[in-house]
Amino acid sequence: MITRYSEARLPTSHGEFRVVVYRTGQPGGADATAVGLAHEEHVAMVLGDVAGEGVLTRVHSSCFTGEVLGSLRCDCRAQLDAALARIGAEGRGVLVYLVQEGRGIGLGNKVRAYQLQDAGHDTVEANLALGFDADHRSYDLAAGILRDLAVASVRLMTNNPKKIAGLESAGVVVSAHESHWVGETSHSEGYLAAKRTKLGHLA
Ligand SMILES: [Zn+2]
Protein backbone atom coordinates (compact mmCIF):
# COMPACT_ATOMS: atom_id res chain seq x y z
CA MET A 1 0.00 0.00 0.00
CA ILE A 2 2.89 2.35 0.75
CA THR A 3 6.50 2.16 -0.45
CA ARG A 4 9.72 3.95 0.44
CA TYR A 5 10.56 6.39 -2.37
CA SER A 6 13.54 8.48 -1.22
CA GLU A 7 15.52 9.52 1.83
CA ALA A 8 18.28 11.91 2.89
CA ARG A 9 19.78 13.43 6.02
CA LEU A 10 17.94 16.52 7.17
CA PRO A 11 19.61 18.82 9.71
CA THR A 12 17.01 20.70 11.80
CA SER A 13 17.00 22.91 14.89
CA HIS A 14 16.11 19.73 16.85
CA GLY A 15 19.00 17.64 15.50
CA GLU A 16 20.08 15.85 12.35
CA PHE A 17 17.14 13.73 11.27
CA ARG A 18 16.77 11.41 8.32
CA VAL A 19 13.77 12.34 6.15
CA VAL A 20 12.13 9.38 4.41
CA VAL A 21 9.46 9.94 1.76
CA TYR A 22 6.82 7.31 1.05
CA ARG A 23 4.40 7.06 -1.85
CA THR A 24 1.09 5.29 -1.95
CA GLY A 25 1.07 4.91 -5.73
CA GLN A 26 -2.21 6.83 -5.81
CA PRO A 27 -2.63 10.22 -7.45
CA GLY A 28 -2.83 13.03 -4.91
CA GLY A 29 -6.50 13.75 -5.55
CA ALA A 30 -8.61 16.71 -4.57
CA ASP A 31 -8.50 15.85 -0.87
CA ALA A 32 -4.82 15.05 -0.48
CA THR A 33 -2.83 18.19 0.16
CA ALA A 34 -2.43 21.92 -0.07
CA VAL A 35 0.71 21.77 -2.19
CA GLY A 36 -0.52 20.18 -5.41
CA LEU A 37 1.33 16.85 -5.48
CA ALA A 38 1.04 14.55 -8.52
CA HIS A 39 1.33 11.54 -6.20
CA GLU A 40 0.18 11.11 -2.66
CA GLU A 41 3.30 11.32 -0.46
CA HIS A 42 3.84 10.88 3.27
CA VAL A 43 6.95 11.47 5.35
CA ALA A 44 8.86 9.98 8.28
CA MET A 45 11.33 12.07 10.26
CA VAL A 46 13.71 9.56 11.83
CA LEU A 47 16.37 10.15 14.48
CA GLY A 48 18.79 7.46 15.63
CA ASP A 49 18.40 3.70 15.23
CA VAL A 50 14.66 3.07 15.43
CA ALA A 51 14.67 -0.65 14.60
CA GLY A 52 13.50 -2.11 17.91
CA GLU A 53 11.29 -1.60 20.93
CA GLY A 54 9.90 1.41 22.78
CA VAL A 55 10.54 3.99 20.07
CA LEU A 56 9.32 7.50 20.93
CA THR A 57 6.78 8.14 18.17
CA ARG A 58 4.36 10.79 17.02
CA VAL A 59 1.81 10.29 14.23
CA HIS A 60 0.97 13.75 12.94
CA SER A 61 -1.35 14.93 10.16
CA SER A 62 -0.23 17.93 8.14
CA CYS A 63 -1.91 21.26 8.79
CA PHE A 64 -1.25 23.86 6.12
CA THR A 65 -3.21 26.57 7.92
CA GLY A 66 -1.49 26.01 11.28
CA GLU A 67 2.03 24.98 10.28
CA VAL A 68 2.60 27.20 7.25
CA LEU A 69 0.16 30.09 7.62
CA GLY A 70 0.50 30.41 11.40
CA SER A 71 -3.20 29.95 12.20
CA LEU A 72 -4.11 29.98 15.89
CA ARG A 73 -7.36 28.05 15.32
CA CYS A 74 -5.54 24.83 16.23
CA ASP A 75 -2.37 23.71 18.03
CA CYS A 76 -0.82 21.64 15.19
CA ARG A 77 2.33 23.70 14.78
CA ALA A 78 3.10 23.67 18.51
CA GLN A 79 2.40 19.92 18.62
CA LEU A 80 4.72 19.27 15.67
CA ASP A 81 7.52 21.37 17.16
CA ALA A 82 7.11 19.78 20.59
CA ALA A 83 7.24 16.27 19.13
CA LEU A 84 10.41 16.97 17.13
CA ALA A 85 11.98 18.64 20.18
CA ARG A 86 11.21 15.61 22.40
CA ILE A 87 12.63 13.21 19.81
CA GLY A 88 15.68 15.44 19.46
CA ALA A 89 16.19 15.51 23.24
CA GLU A 90 15.93 11.72 23.45
CA GLY A 91 18.20 11.20 20.44
CA ARG A 92 15.93 8.50 19.02
CA GLY A 93 12.44 8.47 17.59
CA VAL A 94 10.09 8.78 14.64
CA LEU A 95 7.64 11.43 13.57
CA VAL A 96 5.25 10.09 10.94
CA TYR A 97 3.93 13.08 9.00
CA LEU A 98 0.83 12.27 6.98
CA VAL A 99 0.21 14.79 4.23
CA GLN A 100 -3.52 15.26 4.58
CA GLU A 101 -5.57 18.24 5.67
CA GLY A 102 -8.30 18.50 8.25
CA ARG A 103 -8.32 14.84 9.38
CA GLY A 104 -8.46 13.79 5.72
CA ILE A 105 -11.16 16.09 4.32
CA GLY A 106 -8.81 18.32 2.26
CA LEU A 107 -7.87 21.99 2.55
CA GLY A 108 -10.89 23.41 0.72
CA ASN A 109 -13.34 21.49 2.88
CA LYS A 110 -11.40 22.30 6.04
CA VAL A 111 -11.84 26.02 5.29
CA ARG A 112 -15.54 25.41 4.62
CA ALA A 113 -15.68 23.75 8.03
CA TYR A 114 -14.03 26.84 9.58
CA GLN A 115 -16.80 28.93 8.03
CA LEU A 116 -19.40 26.65 9.63
CA GLN A 117 -17.56 26.87 12.97
CA ASP A 118 -17.68 30.67 12.79
CA ALA A 119 -21.44 30.27 12.30
CA GLY A 120 -21.68 28.33 15.57
CA HIS A 121 -20.90 24.65 14.81
CA ASP A 122 -18.08 22.84 16.62
CA THR A 123 -15.32 21.01 14.71
CA VAL A 124 -17.11 17.65 14.76
CA GLU A 125 -20.53 19.05 13.81
CA ALA A 126 -18.93 21.04 10.98
CA ASN A 127 -17.27 17.95 9.47
CA LEU A 128 -20.50 15.96 9.78
CA ALA A 129 -22.46 18.81 8.19
CA LEU A 130 -20.08 18.58 5.21
CA GLY A 131 -20.71 14.83 4.97
CA PHE A 132 -17.37 13.62 6.37
CA ASP A 133 -16.70 11.08 9.08
CA ALA A 134 -13.58 10.16 11.08
CA ASP A 135 -10.59 9.00 9.01
CA HIS A 136 -9.26 5.46 9.52
CA ARG A 137 -7.07 5.14 6.46
CA SER A 138 -4.38 7.27 8.12
CA TYR A 139 -3.75 4.59 10.78
CA ASP A 140 -3.03 2.00 8.09
CA LEU A 141 -0.61 4.38 6.37
CA ALA A 142 1.20 5.14 9.64
CA ALA A 143 1.36 1.44 10.52
CA GLY A 144 2.86 0.67 7.10
CA ILE A 145 5.54 3.32 7.56
CA LEU A 146 6.45 2.13 11.08
CA ARG A 147 6.65 -1.46 9.81
CA ASP A 148 8.95 -0.37 6.99
CA LEU A 149 11.23 1.34 9.54
CA ALA A 150 11.34 -1.91 11.60
CA VAL A 151 9.84 -0.16 14.63
CA ALA A 152 8.72 -3.07 16.84
CA SER A 153 6.80 -1.06 19.47
CA VAL A 154 6.11 2.61 20.12
CA ARG A 155 5.83 5.00 23.04
CA LEU A 156 3.15 7.15 21.45
CA MET A 157 2.99 10.91 22.05
CA THR A 158 -0.74 11.69 21.91
CA ASN A 159 -3.75 12.91 23.88
CA ASN A 160 -6.11 10.90 21.67
CA PRO A 161 -7.17 7.41 22.89
CA LYS A 162 -8.78 6.73 19.49
CA LYS A 163 -5.39 7.19 17.84
CA ILE A 164 -3.93 4.51 20.12
CA ALA A 165 -6.84 2.16 19.38
CA GLY A 166 -6.69 2.89 15.65
CA LEU A 167 -2.95 2.24 15.43
CA GLU A 168 -3.26 -0.94 17.50
CA SER A 169 -6.00 -2.26 15.23
CA ALA A 170 -3.71 -1.48 12.27
CA GLY A 171 -1.03 -3.69 13.85
CA VAL A 172 1.16 -1.22 15.77
CA VAL A 173 2.30 -2.31 19.24
CA VAL A 174 1.79 0.67 21.60
CA SER A 175 3.92 -0.13 24.66
CA ALA A 176 3.27 3.22 26.37
CA HIS A 177 1.34 6.45 25.96
CA GLU A 178 2.92 9.83 26.68
CA SER A 179 0.66 12.86 26.96
CA HIS A 180 1.38 15.59 24.46
CA TRP A 181 -0.11 18.80 25.81
CA VAL A 182 1.09 22.14 24.42
CA GLY A 183 -1.48 24.56 25.83
CA GLU A 184 -4.21 26.53 24.10
CA THR A 185 -5.00 30.05 22.93
CA SER A 186 -8.26 32.03 22.99
CA HIS A 187 -8.67 31.11 19.29
CA SER A 188 -8.20 27.35 19.77
CA GLU A 189 -9.93 26.69 23.11
CA GLY A 190 -13.36 25.94 21.55
CA TYR A 191 -11.80 23.58 19.00
CA LEU A 192 -9.78 21.78 21.68
CA ALA A 193 -12.80 21.55 24.01
CA ALA A 194 -14.81 19.91 21.21
CA LYS A 195 -11.99 17.42 20.63
CA ARG A 196 -12.20 16.52 24.34
CA THR A 197 -15.97 16.22 24.62
CA LYS A 198 -16.79 14.83 21.15
CA LEU A 199 -13.65 12.91 20.14
CA GLY A 200 -12.48 11.69 23.55
CA HIS A 201 -9.17 13.55 23.67
CA LEU A 202 -7.61 13.57 27.15
CA ALA A 203 -6.15 17.09 26.96
ZN1 LIG B 1 -4.11 22.47 12.58
Side-chain angles (χ1 to χ4, degrees):
M1 184 173 74
I2 190 160
T3 55
R4 191 186 293 220
Y5 183 76
S6 57
E7 59 187 286
R9 67 182 187 86
L10 198 71
T12 75
S13 57
H14 302 298
E16 183 164 308
F17 284 72
R18 189 157 51 96
V19 62
V20 186
V21 177
Y22 291 85
R23 282 191 171 180
T24 63
Q26 302 295 316
D31 289 350
T33 177
V35 291
L37 299 172
H39 294 273
E40 190 176 322
E41 295 184 322
H42 304 283
V43 175
M45 285 286 278
V46 179
L47 188 68
D49 178 6
V50 298
E53 307 281 345
V55 178
L56 187 61
T57 299
R58 169 83 181 161
V59 175
H60 186 94
S61 290
S62 65
C63 176
F64 184 78
T65 48
E67 292 158 14
V68 177
L69 302 180
S71 164
L72 299 178
R73 296 186 77 124
C74 59
D75 57 356
C76 302
R77 185 175 181 163
Q79 297 247 12
L80 176 63
D81 270 343
L84 290 170
R86 285 176 68 176
I87 291 168
E90 186 157 314
R92 178 184 188 235
V94 179
L95 181 127
V96 175
Y97 187 88
L98 300 168
V99 181
Q100 56 180 14
E101 281 297 307
R103 298 197 296 270
I105 69 173
L107 178 63
N109 288 316
K110 179 183 174 182
V111 169
R112 280 190 173 166
Y114 281 165
Q115 194 177 30
L116 288 171
Q117 287 168 43
D118 285 344
H121 295 71
D122 70 32
T123 179
V124 175
E125 291 165 349
N127 280 17
L128 292 176
L130 288 169
F132 295 107
D133 209 343
D135 175 41
H136 290 286
R137 183 172 165 273
S138 60
Y139 299 127
D140 291 328
L141 291 170
I145 289 171
L146 292 168
R147 218 167 11 249
D148 178 75
L149 294 168
V151 172
S153 65
V154 301
R155 285 156 43 228
L156 194 68
M157 292 182 270
T158 187
N159 301 319
N160 182 1
K162 286 189 180 142
K163 190 182 277 187
I164 298 171
L167 286 169
E168 284 180 330
S169 71
V172 176
V173 178
V174 180
S175 61
H177 149 241
E178 308 209 355
S179 72
H180 197 59
W181 176 239
V182 295
E184 62 191 15
T185 70
S186 60
H187 300 281
S188 67
E189 62 192 3
Y191 163 77
L192 295 173
K195 290 217 293 193
R196 284 191 292 273
T197 56
K198 295 275 185 86
L199 295 177
H201 285 222
L202 298 175

